Amino acid sequence: MSRSSLFGSPLFLGFDHLEQMLDRVAKNSDGYPPYNIEQTGENRLRITLAVAGFSMEELQLTQEDNQLVVRGKQRDESEGRIFLHRGIAARQFQRAFVLAEGIEVEGAWLDNGLLHIDLKRPQPAVRVKAIQIGTRNAGPARPLVHTQLGDGEKTGG
């Protein structure tokens, strides 16, 4: 039985890695900690996670290829304490965000139980390719590709 997929169309060539990333993110979505993603400028984003009770030493922020991973692990300091009610659990978490190609992490800071992570999305250079169409009468034609960069400069041959 074949599995139905978002990128199952034959028109989507080479998008297998995107489907794998979406699967990884779906497995990592238990809802904790809650977060916001906001646009702070034309090419800037901010992720804010609610990490009340975590200190900076208990949080870890890493970029693994195109994934931004936030991990938190609190120390259990309940030794010798007697709780009549325990509604604030010391629990660990891992939250991952898939970053598009070229997105850079500019910085992160912890403020009043909120972890803020600033991201920058650089503007991609406009690329235009002209592909010469050949004929097969005189044998196999080698395709000729010229790439035009954003400033009008041509490459290829």
Side-chain angles (χ1 to χ4, degrees), residues 109-154:
W109 72 97
L110 187 62
D111 182 38
N112 293 323
L114 297 174
L115 175 63
H116 303 280
I117 306 163
D118 282 341
L119 307 170
K120 180 181 178 185
R121 178 180 26 205
Q123 289 292 82
V126 177
R127 296 176 52 153
V128 177
K129 287 185 179 183
I131 303 169
Q132 183 178 358
I133 301 172
T135 62
R136 293 196 62 111
N137 293 346
R142 183 172 165 258
L144 182 60
V145 177
H146 291 286
T147 302
Q148 185 170 345
L149 303 175
D151 58 3
E153 177 183 328
K154 287 186 178 180

Side-chain angles (χ1 to χ4, degrees), residues 37-75:
I37 300 175
E38 62 183 303
Q39 185 170 352
T40 58
E42 187 175 333
N43 296 312
R44 298 191 185 290
L45 302 170
R46 177 173 295 146
I47 300 171
T48 302
L49 291 99
V51 292
F54 286 86
S55 67
M56 282 195 291
E57 295 78 27
E58 296 169 327
L59 295 170
Q60 180 185 30
L61 181 62
T62 57
Q63 186 172 347
E64 302 167 8
D65 293 325
N66 61 339
Q67 254 189 329
L68 179 65
V69 181
V70 183
R71 293 179 180 91
K73 184 171 183 168
Q74 287 181 317
R75 288 179 236 114

